[in-house]
Structures are given as C-alpha cells and as structure tokens.
Amino acid sequence: MNSTHLASTPTTTIPEIEEFDQIRERLLSHLDGIVPRFEIELHVPKIRRIQELKVAQNAIILGHNYQVPEIFHGIADITGDSLALAREAARAETERIVFCGVHFMAETAKILNPEKRVLLSNLEAGCSLAESITAEDVRQLKAQYPGVPVVNYVNTSAAVKAESDYCCTSSNALQVVEAIDSDRILFLPDEYLTRNTQALTKKELIPWPGRCMVHEVFQASTLEAHRQQFPGIEILAHPECSPEVVAEADFTGSTSAMIDRVADSSADRVMLVTECGMSDNIRNRFPEKEFTTPCTVCPHMKRIDLDNIIEALEKDQYPIEVNPEIAQRARLALERMLEIG
Ligand code: 13P
Ligand code: SF4
C-alpha cells in the first residue's frame, strides 16, 4: 500500500485487502455515532471491492478533506488539502491515481504526473471558482495590465493555469505573492481569497469576481451569534469566505491548516466555517471537542461516491486528458508554486 504520512494531515494506513470484519471495525472506530450503523454495514462490501480493484489496477486513491467519511476513512490512501494532494500526485508511483475530489484537482494531478492514468469517477464534479474564469478572460487581463505577473488559484482549469506565471492554493497564497518580484499582481479568480490576501500584503493585488458557491454564503452575523451563544468558542474560517467572515474568525487557513489548528486548540468548542462534511471526517480525532458547523455542502465534492469509484476502477474511467501544449505551460506555473511552498 502506498500510504504516505503527511505531518499536517491524517492519513489512512490500511492493509491492502482487509477482512469484512476488519473494515467494519475500522469504520466504527472512526465513525460510530457519526454515521448510522446500517449505513456503515452498506459501505463494508463496497470498500472491500474497492480494495480488491485497487490492487488489481495498481491504483492509489487520493481523497480531499471534503470527501464523505466512507471515502475519507474507508478507502483513501492519502487525505489532505489541495496542496498536499498535488504534491502526493506528483510523486505517486502507481499506474493509476483515482482522485476523490473535483475536476481541477484531478487535472492538476495529471499535469504534475503525466505518465500516470488519472481517473475521476464523475466528470461533473466541477467547481464554481474554476467555472468563473476562462483562458480568454486571463489573456484580456494580461493585455489590459501588460507586464503584470499572473497568479491563478489552483481552483482553475488547465487552460487558465497555462495563462499564469504562478499557481497558488489556500495554504500558500501569501507566500507566493511575497515571492514574486513585482508590486502589482493579477491574483485570480477568487475575489475573497484576493481580498483576504490583500489584507496581509503591501503589494497591489488585482482581483477577479469569482466566488466559491459554498464559502460565499457564510455571514459574519452567524459567527457573531455563535460567539455570543458559546463564549470561548474558537472560530476557524477558510480564506474563500468573505473578509467580513474572516475578520470575525479567530483563525483562517486551508482545510488542512484548519484541522491542524483544531489539534492545537485548547477550546472545548470549535466552529469550522467551511464545507460541512469536513467536521464529520475529523470529529472522532477530537472526542473531547464539540463541533459547530453552519452546514453548507459542496455539491461537486459530493458527486464522488463509493459506487462510482467501483465503476471507475472496473471500467478504467474517466481518464483525465490535458492537451500537451497547455499541460506544459500549466506545469510551469504549478512547479513554480511547489518550489515556493
Ligand atoms: P483547500 O486547498 O484548503 O483544501 O481548499 C480547496 C477547496 O476547494 C476549498 O473550497
Ligand atoms: Fe470549488 Fe467551493 Fe466546492 Fe471547493 S468548495 S470545490 S472552491 S465550489
């Protein structure tokens, strides 16, 4: 098994093929009281089938922190935020990478490790940020701001990445901005990530009006109300939230940085202002803490499930392909990011 332990992310270390009882026990140890027992029973044979197929197909499974618990705890060899998973994809040695996340993440894996067959089990797993901007939009901005370097969030298509000088993720946005030798940067396409990063740098960041459909709905007033109701609560927000929400939070960071912060926090109650599935994935690690989550689901992340993963492995579908010329330019922007941090 190609499990890799990432210091900042919980990694599922599982034997290659487990007995049904072992799978059941493992799921219960993570999910008892979080997922109903009858659902756990339904997952057991599917997880066993995926384990058999992974061996037969020489596949590794990467799972984003927003994936459902039966994927996160049941079948993912490696879990993490988009930066950690991009790094893992780049060094994966198996023939296949099954990406349990959304399309731009699988595309990034393919760009960074083009020899591998990267499978996404549902091609409709998209992203509202990736859909907010096209390569032509970026070309027009470059014409409008000649010579200004372009940073694109990793939540973009390969064609948009190809128009960029650098990529960034939510965990290294500020680092990338500070590493660039320019006082003005086109920082695309998440308006809120741009404004939140702008608050931390003296450089001028030129935004684009893209939004994450999950994080844009959170309101600062909800956070305030929770603080009043639960004095001592620690509030953690993803940087795709509005600056007003971020200002009301105690901590802002990527999905994995939020998990690390929960581990370090002495608060008895934490509020995760992000996709609400993440709390279920980590609740068992922190049994002494109460989790509060304003529940907003990413419908794209939830398009991946055990059934379509079985089908993907059985039928070897759906392979991610990227035009080689676009991939080459996009790889440069991604590799520059990975060198920075
Ligand atoms: P992270 O890089 O923090 O995991 O975020 C990815 C994402 O899509 C958040 O909405
Ligand atoms: Fe995209 Fe938002 Fe879903 Fe993340 S949570 S994949 S940014 S739509």
Side-chain angles (χ1 to χ4, degrees):
M1 185 59 51
N2 292 283
S3 289
T4 303
H5 185 77
L6 301 176
S8 61
T9 54
T11 301
T12 320
T13 309
I14 52 174
E16 288 192 348
I17 298 179
E18 295 169 293
E19 299 300 328
F20 284 71
D21 282 348
Q22 286 177 285
I23 297 172
R24 182 177 300 106
E25 284 309 310
R26 190 163 54 77
L27 283 188
L28 282 172
S29 75
H30 292 296
L31 299 173
D32 201 18
I34 298 169
V35 173
R37 284 198 175 207
F38 80 91
E39 272 189 33
I40 290 182
E41 273 316 310
L42 292 175
H43 297 324
V44 171
K46 295 179 187 177
I47 290 172
R48 163 71 181 227
R49 178 71 184 135
I50 290 170
Q51 289 181 352
E52 290 168 350
L53 287 163
K54 272 199 312 193
V55 173
Q57 299 280 47
N58 190 12
I60 189 172
I61 298 189
L62 304 186
H64 187 262
N65 291 327
Y66 292 162
Q67 289 293 292
V68 288
E70 59 272 23
I71 291 178
F72 189 88
H73 289 296
I75 59 160
D77 296 294
I78 296 170
T79 57
D81 64 10
S82 50
L83 180 62
L85 295 180
R87 288 191 189 283
E88 290 303 323
R91 66 180 186 210
E93 286 175 356
T94 47
E95 249 169 85
R96 289 176 180 75
I97 299 170
V98 178
F99 215 110
C100 297
V102 293
H103 191 274
F104 77 80
M105 295 179 177
E107 213 173 39
T108 299
K110 180 68 183 175
I111 293 166
L112 288 171
N113 204 341
E115 302 302 315
K116 306 298 174 193
R117 195 165 168 87
V118 178
L119 303 179
L120 184 67
S121 57
N122 185 339
L123 290 176
E124 285 178 23
C127 170
S128 65
L129 279 169
E131 280 156 26
S132 74
I133 192 161
T134 65
E136 182 51 29
D137 293 329
V138 185
R139 283 193 287 272
Q140 284 184 17
L141 283 166
K142 289 201 285 193
Q144 204 180 330
Y145 297 95
V148 175
V150 179
V151 176
N152 262 301
Y153 196 29
V154 74
N155 300 36
T156 48
S157 67
V160 166
K161 288 186 179 78
E163 296 297 332
S164 323
D165 297 296
Y166 296 81
C167 286
C168 76
T169 75
S170 57
S171 45
N172 60 17
L174 182 62
Q175 257 177 296
V176 170
V177 162
E178 297 298 2
I180 297 173
D181 186 17
S182 171
D183 288 340
R184 288 183 101 194
I185 295 169
L186 279 155
F187 194 87
L188 318 169
D190 183 357
E191 180 195 337
Y192 287 159
L193 180 69
T194 307
R195 286 173 57 194
N196 290 326
T197 310
Q198 180 67 79
L200 305 172
T201 181
K202 291 195 168 70
K203 300 189 180 195
E204 183 196 353
L205 304 184
I206 302 163
W208 178 260
R211 299 272 181 90
C212 162
M213 64 195 285
V214 173
H215 291 91
E216 72 169 347
V217 301
F218 297 124
Q219 300 289 323
S221 56
T222 314
L223 278 61
E224 276 167 44
H226 275 77
R227 222 184 260 296
Q228 275 175 14
Q229 197 182 347
F230 304 111
I233 191 171
E234 178 152 10
I235 302 183
L236 289 64
H238 195 276
E240 291 169 12
C241 296
S242 72
E244 294 73 25
V245 165
V246 164
E248 188 58 42
D250 300 299
F251 175 84
T252 305
S254 77
T255 54
S256 287
M258 291 169 93
I259 298 172
D260 290 347
R261 176 67 177 220
V262 173
D264 291 342
S265 169
S266 56
D268 296 336
R269 182 182 287 271
V270 291
M271 179 182 197
L272 300 186
V273 189
T274 193
E275 210 271 352
C276 72
M278 199 169 87
S279 298
D280 286 343
N281 287 339
I282 62 168
R283 227 177 268 270
N284 73 299
R285 268 184 71 191
F286 309 105
E288 74 291 357
K289 293 195 194 300
E290 287 277 338
F291 282 82
T292 306
T293 306
C295 202
T296 310
V297 168
C298 175
H300 298 292
M301 287 282 178
K302 269 42 187 187
R303 289 198 165 101
I304 307 299
D305 60 31
L306 294 179
D307 291 315
N308 59 35
I309 293 166
I310 291 174
E311 211 183 344
L313 281 162
E314 282 176 346
K315 298 184 180 164
D316 205 17
Q317 69 189 21
Y318 297 94
I320 301 294
E321 300 296 348
V322 184
N323 170 297
E325 187 269 326
I326 287 179
Q328 196 188 1
R329 290 192 286 136
R331 191 175 310 121
L332 206 60
L334 283 164
E335 285 177 349
R336 283 185 185 142
M337 168 188 82
L338 293 176
E339 272 167 33
I340 293 170

